[in-house]
Amino acid sequence: SQKIEQNSEALNIQEGKTATLTCNYTNYSPAYLQWYRQDPGRGPVFLLLIRENEKEKRKERLKVTFDTTLKQSLFHITASQPADSATYLCALDRGGGSQGNLIFGKGTKLSVKP
Amino acid sequence: DAGVIQSPRHEVTEMGQEVTLRCKPISGHDYLFWYRQTMMRGLELLIYFNNNVPIDDSGMPEDRFSAKMPNASFSTLKIQPSEPRDSAVYFCASRTGSSYNEQFFGPGTRLTVL
């Protein structure tokens, strides 16, 4: 069955460092992958999308990579700030003409300490 | 735009009671998704609609769950009868036509079934 895993439930880092979050998947080939941010008590908010034919995407301090051979995406936040503390979810297209039906990982809770 | 609107924000009910959750998608969005989020299972897709028509309800856990979208600006998710294991946060999300487009989530309804 299709499976998606974010390999850390929680990640604690010091302000100014780079946070790296991992998303792995098995048993299918998504056309794209999305990353969302979720703050406590709120719905997820879209951050970035990367397509299967793209290796890397950047947006301000955020960088996402997508390795379809390893079936893995890495999400980086450079020069992290306490305001970056949140849960980050990766989501993959189910593929096969699913019309954008996404499978979400359980998320990684990032805490950035001052 | 006000974003995706959900009501109520919190619902506490007793086992066996009927629960109705409501969602107003962003105007012009033709896809609407209902999700459930728990610590154990993460964010799970229950059902989604395209142009008010249910496309995939394979995520609906049991016949106790039903969803409708009578028009482009309103959808309901009903649980009858409710059980304690239905306790979760229920999110509604919407997006425009392209499957690559981001989903916009509402603030969620926190349901507690006693």
Side-chain angles (χ1 to χ4, degrees):
Chain A
S1 62
Q2 299 169 334
K3 192 175 179 181
I4 177 170
E5 286 186 345
Q6 295 186 245
N7 67 345
S8 299
E9 283 192 12
L11 180 65
N12 299 311
I13 64 168
Q14 206 67 32
E15 182 176 7
K17 301 293 186 183
T18 296
T20 298
L21 286 64
T22 305
C23 179
N24 296 289
Y25 60 94
T26 57
N27 295 332
Y28 68 132
S29 299
Y32 60 84
L33 183 150
Q34 297 181 356
W35 283 89
Y36 287 77
R37 169 181 172 143
Q38 186 173 22
D39 290 285
R42 308 190 73 163
V45 174
F46 173 82
L47 295 174
L48 281 168
L49 175 145
I50 187 166
R51 300 174 187 236
E52 60 179 336
N53 61 349
E54 297 176 318
K55 295 295 184 185
E56 182 178 297
K57 204 78 168 283
R58 291 177 185 260
K59 180 182 176 182
E60 298 172 352
R61 295 184 295 111
L62 308 180
K63 184 178 85 170
V64 173
T65 63
F66 194 9
D67 188 325
T68 56
T69 300
L70 292 178
K71 295 187 182 293
Q72 181 181 79
S73 174
L74 299 179
F75 177 81
H76 307 272
I77 305 175
T78 58
S80 60
Q81 304 166 359
D84 296 325
S85 298
T87 296
Y88 292 85
L89 306 170
C90 66
L92 278 75
D93 156 52
R94 288 180 191 269
S98 66
Q99 301 187 55
N101 184 344
L102 299 175
I103 300 176
F104 280 82
K106 289 185 180 180
T108 296
K109 184 175 181 180
L110 174 67
S111 296
V112 181
K113 304 297 183 186
Chain B
D1 200 318
V4 175
I5 299 172
Q6 291 187 247
S7 64
R9 291 295 311 277
H10 302 273
E11 177 81 28
V12 180
T13 191
E14 293 191 346
M15 184 173 64
Q17 295 299 306
E18 177 179 297
V19 175
T20 299
L21 311 182
R22 297 173 176 80
C23 175
K24 176 178 168 54
I26 293 172
S27 177
H29 284 192
D30 48 2
Y31 282 84
L32 183 140
F33 303 82
W34 280 102
Y35 292 90
R36 176 172 69 175
Q37 188 174 42
T38 61
M39 289 293 293
M40 285 290 293
R41 301 176 67 91
L43 193 62
E44 302 175 283
L45 178 68
L46 300 177
I47 184 171
Y48 75 98
F49 297 81
N50 177 217
N51 292 322
N52 314 335
V53 176
I55 303 300
D56 185 352
D57 66 354
S58 60
M60 296 285 260
E62 301 170 30
D63 290 346
R64 299 184 296 108
F65 286 68
S66 62
K68 293 182 180 180
M69 192 165 185
N71 57 63
S73 59
F74 184 66
S75 177
T76 60
L77 178 68
K78 187 175 292 186
I79 308 172
Q80 166 63 19
S82 58
E83 297 184 3
R85 60 192 168 126
D86 302 330
S87 297
V89 181
Y90 291 80
F91 289 103
C92 176
S94 69
R95 68 161 169 84
T96 56
S98 169
S99 63
Y100 289 80
N101 288 351
E102 64 181 283
Q103 294 186 15
F104 292 82
F105 283 78
T109 295
R110 180 173 293 277
L111 174 64
T112 302
V113 183
L114 303 174

